[in-house]
Amino acid sequence: MATTDRQATTLALAHALSAAERGLAVIPLSRTKLPALRSPHRDDPDPAGPRCHGECGHFGHGVYDASTDPVRIRELFAAAPWATGYGIACGLPPYHLIGVDLDTKSGTDSSTALRELALRHLFTIPETVVVRTPSGGRHLWLTGPPDVVVPNSAGRLAAGIDIRGAGGYLVGPGSRTDHGVYTTAPGTAHLAPAPCPPSLLRLLAPPSRPPQPAPPVPGDHGRGLVQFVLSAHEGQRNTRLFWAACRAYENGIGPALADPLTEAALNTGLTEREARATIASAARMTGHRP
């Protein structure tokens, strides 16, 4: 490894540890801005199966590896000595960070678009941390309430405005990429991320899903499997759904329980596509046709 790369890795680790001291969970990034560690499941025979978010105990799960523990952060960087930057996970306590990415590519004027949104919806962007990107864009750091999950989006608010929310990450200041270095805008490094204005938060939140009547569930065993999925926490949703679907097919109630299990998975935050794929994988695993 070239001396400059070793220096970039050392600096990235130092910046990452400094961010972690502020309560920001971090992961190592490569020069391409992607997570530096490859997935340990990249060669799995069934890519549609349940997704592991780190339950296997290995590194390589992207933002799910993010940590504020300095020992773990050093281990992550030791496993990725080619890392030249770090990512800051969004949506996690204590800040529940929301990143507003104002891009300058393709001739878009994202700053003007944000000002127009602010005028139209009567909000003001507060004084907060601003990170400058090598391409001339800006990342605005905002915080959200713990009970609101802000999804990632690209161009949904306006052209050139991307949002980094739960499951996403921001490239941390001090990171070196193929295009240059991310830096904190003057006068903002000492600031804490400011609360997201309520009017803007309403624009960022996903549309509420109207309550739907639950499909009938066959028998007590079926109800127990559905409740098992409903009680899943983040990081175990796919695993619980796969396990419940396997038990349902093994007990001859798989087809009848497919819709109730899908509905339960949607209530835990999975998409319908993810839920259906996991149930189909369970059907194949137990020798049934989905």
Side-chain angles (χ1 to χ4, degrees), residues 13-231:
L13 173 58
H15 284 298
L17 290 170
S18 178
E21 288 181 358
R22 299 174 62 186
L24 299 167
V26 297
I27 54 171
L29 300 182
S30 69
R31 283 183 173 272
T32 62
K33 300 186 295 184
L34 294 175
L37 292 167
R38 296 181 67 192
S39 170
H41 310 291
R42 58 187 178 276
D43 297 323
D44 284 358
D46 185 9
R51 292 178 61 192
C52 177
H53 289 159
E55 296 89 347
C56 67
H58 298 290
F59 294 149
H61 299 85
V63 74
Y64 297 100
D65 288 341
S67 178
T68 58
D69 179 2
V71 174
R72 181 175 172 86
I73 293 168
R74 291 182 185 277
E75 290 173 347
L76 284 164
F77 274 83
W82 52 87
T84 60
Y86 66 104
I88 297 173
C90 296
L92 299 180
Y95 294 110
H96 303 279
L97 198 64
I98 301 167
V100 180
D101 182 354
L102 303 178
D103 207 346
T104 59
K105 296 173 186 172
S106 305
T108 57
D109 190 348
S110 52
S111 294
T112 297
L114 182 61
R115 283 196 295 271
E116 290 175 352
L117 279 171
L119 287 171
R120 192 181 315 145
H121 295 278
L122 303 176
F123 65 84
T124 301
I125 295 295
E127 192 175 27
T128 191
V129 180
V130 178
V131 175
R132 290 177 170 175
T133 74
S135 62
R138 293 180 297 146
H139 293 168
L140 312 181
W141 292 14
L142 301 172
T143 66
D147 58 342
V148 176
V149 177
V150 173
N152 297 294
S153 64
R156 183 168 70 87
L157 283 186
I161 301 179
D162 298 341
I163 301 300
R164 301 287 179 262
Y169 63 87
L170 291 164
V171 180
S175 296
R176 181 173 293 278
T177 71
D178 284 334
H179 301 288
V181 179
Y182 283 68
T183 59
T184 309
T188 70
H190 68 286
L191 299 174
C196 183
S199 296
L200 176 57
L201 188 63
R202 283 193 289 272
L203 296 176
L204 302 180
S208 59
R209 181 181 162 81
Q212 312 233 345
V217 177
D220 290 338
H221 185 57
R223 280 190 285 273
L225 292 175
V226 170
Q227 188 57 45
F228 180 74
V229 174
L230 282 171
S231 61

